[in-house]
Amino acid sequence: MPRRWVAAVACLLALVALACEEGGSASPRPSRESSQPGLPTTMAALGDSITTGFGSCLVLTSCQRNSWSTGDGIRVESHYRRLLDANPGIRGRANNHAVPGARAEALAGQAEAAVRDKADYVTVLIGANDACRDDIDTMTPVPTFRTQVDRGLRALRKGRPKARVLVVSIPDLYRLWEVGHTESRATRVWRAGICPSLLANPTSTAPADRARRATFRQRIEDYNAELKAACRAYGSRCRHDGGAAHRVRFTLDEVNALDWFHPNVAGQNRLADVSFSSAGWRL
């Protein structure tokens, strides 16, 4: 190889770091780790089985990679993944403290975990299990629910006063009965004990069963009103979704075909879509 070719190749290889001929220098490569100012570097999710992605991986167990909030899998455009696109600094710093079966009384403990994480952004979705009890009489009373939610939010405000909090409304579980009570595969599973206060005797039109479902529906609306009021009382660092999650007119195609109750991947995506804008992040 001619000597001048060797010199030219050596110069090209050095362009990324060294000056080459006549004092020229390579332009610095834009860093892929640059972050948009003002976005969170750590987030946490609080709540119940919906937020753990329960039943979204074809088995009846939690599947956090599909969580609408902190999921890092490729099938759900979670809040975390949307933030990651604009803020690489949050990579690997999304913590999911939600627990299947959790009720509002568990919120304070989960909030303390988010404080230990030093979370800048916290999502809250709680209340389905306070209503989904063995019967109407054992549902969490509305004043008790509010007290427990306030306790959890107070822990966040005390421990992470500058963190942004998003409180998401409880989805319309009555809608699940509406779209599923004529589907034999769903009603067969529900009879095994899925949310009895709503879904017991799913095909019955007896006055007592209709009244029970109406009471359940009202309880969810009451809880949602308290969630909105609790967020307002928290202050400017708390955002409420304005009822967006509760207004979703979901179909059976958005719940898993194992318990016909929890969101599948499509349902998790839908929940992420309708709730993310309420957080107010500018991406």
Side-chain angles (χ1 to χ4, degrees):
M1 178 183 292
R3 185 175 300 174
R4 64 178 181 275
W5 290 12
V6 173
V9 170
C11 182
L12 288 171
L13 293 174
L15 274 175
V16 295
L18 302 173
C20 179
E21 292 185 347
E22 299 182 357
S25 61
S27 300
R29 181 179 179 180
S31 172
R32 292 184 179 180
E33 293 302 312
S34 60
S35 299
Q36 183 174 318
L39 294 179
T41 58
T42 302
M43 70 173 291
L46 316 183
D48 54 33
S49 54
I50 296 176
T51 299
T52 71
F54 189 93
S56 64
C57 288
L58 305 180
V59 291
L60 285 178
T61 189
S62 294
C63 186
Q64 291 188 3
R65 70 174 179 267
N66 289 336
S67 169
W68 64 272
S69 176
T70 59
D72 60 359
I74 62 173
R75 301 179 68 196
V76 175
E77 286 296 314
S78 67
H79 289 211
Y80 166 70
R81 288 191 62 207
R82 294 167 195 239
L83 289 167
L84 180 62
D85 285 343
N87 179 25
I90 201 174
R91 184 180 302 277
R93 300 179 65 86
N95 304 298
N96 195 318
H97 299 296
V99 177
R103 301 194 290 271
E105 64 182 358
L107 194 59
Q110 294 181 14
E112 292 291 353
V115 170
R116 291 191 293 272
D117 294 336
K118 298 183 179 179
D120 305 310
Y121 176 44
V122 181
T123 66
V124 178
L125 173 53
I126 199 76
N129 291 308
D130 290 272
C132 281
R133 305 298 297 276
D134 290 339
D135 52 53
I136 292 296
D137 292 339
T138 55
M139 293 193 298
T140 304
V142 175
T144 302
F145 177 80
R146 173 60 185 275
T147 297
Q148 293 168 345
V149 169
D150 282 342
R151 186 177 300 126
L153 293 181
R154 189 161 53 246
L156 287 175
R157 188 172 56 203
K158 179 180 178 181
R160 298 296 293 168
K162 295 183 179 180
R164 184 173 300 183
V165 178
L166 175 67
V167 175
V168 177
S169 55
I170 305 164
D172 186 359
L173 301 181
Y174 182 83
R175 166 75 178 170
L176 184 64
W177 174 81
E178 285 185 318
V179 299
H181 74 280
T182 58
E183 169 55 68
S184 61
R185 292 174 298 172
T187 57
R188 184 164 52 249
V189 173
W190 292 348
R191 289 189 179 98
I194 303 294
C195 194
S197 51
L198 171 66
L199 300 175
N201 305 322
T203 59
S204 172
T205 58
D209 289 315
R210 294 171 61 186
R212 170 176 48 80
R213 294 180 202 120
T215 300
F216 179 97
R217 186 180 196 181
Q218 183 60 52
R219 186 61 57 92
I220 292 292
E221 292 179 0
D222 292 342
Y223 288 166
N224 275 331
E226 295 301 332
L227 288 168
K228 182 177 181 179
C231 186
R232 185 186 306 116
Y234 185 101
S236 62
R237 303 302 296 177
C238 187
R239 311 291 180 93
H240 184 256
D241 77 343
H246 186 72
R247 287 194 298 270
V248 171
R249 303 291 290 172
F250 58 84
T251 68
L252 290 182
D253 290 336
E254 293 168 316
V255 297
N256 74 71
L258 297 173
D259 66 8
W260 298 89
F261 185 84
H262 289 90
N264 57 17
V265 167
Q268 290 284 342
N269 262 314
R270 186 84 174 276
L271 187 54
D273 282 341
V274 301
S275 61
F276 184 73
S277 61
S278 299
W281 300 114
R282 296 183 179 181
L283 304 184

